[in-house]
């Protein structure tokens, strides 16, 4: 089986999903993922496509440049942070584009550089903005809700990869 994807980040996501399913795979630099042979653990997991978002050519809300992070809400809405537009796109559970929000900058709701995002218990989205030294909070509709500074006494608490939230 050969799975071709338009962007390296989507290929990596596909490869990671296949790895979790136990299938053997190899990935080349052309963003092609090759699945060879049956799953190693067929009784443990089955790979089933639930939703597909993205096209090579088409409307801009469905084309991606550099996908950096993905978060899934309780209602199965999908948030995608794309570095090429310094913005976040929200899709419903079926993959239909709902809203795009955020932009490059330093003001409220602007994004300097993301290091991860997660959906909070209240349904809002938290984005770790590493360049601006804060966490941006957005509503599901994309409205800027708040910013939480990561600075204490002149020092900035910062981590380049990995962002998690709890209740």
């Amino acid at each position: 089986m050969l799975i071709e994807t338009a962007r390296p980040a989507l290929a990596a996501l596909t490869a990671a999903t296949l790895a979790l399913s136990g299938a053997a795979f190899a990935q080349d630099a052309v963003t092609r993922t090759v699945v060879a042979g049956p799953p190693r653990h067929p009784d443990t997991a089955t790979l089933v496509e639930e939703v597909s978002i993205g096209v090579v050519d088409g409307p801009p809300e469905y084309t991606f440049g550099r996908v950096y992070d993905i978060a899934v809400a309780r209602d199965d809405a999908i948030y995608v942070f794309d570095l090429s537009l310094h913005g976040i796109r929200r899709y419903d559970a079926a993959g239909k584009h709902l809203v795009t929000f955020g932009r490059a900058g330093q003001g409220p709701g602007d994004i300097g550089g993301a290091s991860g995002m997660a959906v909070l218990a209240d349904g809002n989205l938290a984005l770790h903005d590493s360049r601006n030294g804060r966490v941006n909070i957005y509503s599901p509709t994309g409205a800027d809700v708040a910013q939480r500074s990561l600075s204490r006494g002149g020092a900035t608490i910062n981590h380049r990869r990995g962002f998690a939230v709890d209740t």
Side-chain angles (χ1 to χ4, degrees), residues 7-165:
R7 304 282 183 229
L10 294 177
L13 181 62
T14 302
T17 304
L18 293 171
L20 290 174
S21 74
F25 68 92
Q27 186 175 344
D28 65 18
V30 185
T31 68
R32 226 175 256 164
T33 303
V34 179
V35 180
R40 289 188 204 130
H41 308 285
D43 299 333
T44 305
T46 304
L47 182 62
V48 177
E49 181 177 306
E50 293 181 10
V51 65
S52 177
I53 301 171
V55 295
V56 175
D57 293 310
E61 63 270 16
Y62 292 101
T63 57
F64 298 99
R66 295 178 8 198
V67 173
Y68 188 79
D69 204 357
I70 297 171
V72 180
R74 287 187 181 160
D75 65 355
D76 292 329
I78 302 163
Y79 293 92
V80 179
F81 179 76
D82 192 335
L83 276 172
S84 64
L85 67 103
H86 265 78
I88 302 163
R89 294 184 186 136
R90 182 173 188 247
Y91 300 87
D92 68 13
K96 179 184 174 218
H97 178 260
L98 300 173
V99 66
T100 299
F101 56 94
R103 65 177 184 264
Q106 297 176 347
D110 291 349
I111 302 165
S115 294
M117 64 182 180
V119 179
L120 303 174
D122 64 4
N124 288 331
L125 180 74
L127 178 118
H128 177 210
D129 186 346
S130 55
R131 283 217 181 108
N132 289 327
R134 66 186 183 206
V135 174
N136 295 336
I137 311 291
Y138 303 97
S139 76
T141 61
D144 175 39
V145 174
Q147 288 79 44
R148 302 287 185 243
S149 175
L150 296 175
S151 297
R152 293 278 189 239
T156 300
I157 303 165
N158 220 341
H159 191 276
R160 280 299 199 201
R161 254 333 243 164
F163 180 67
V165 298

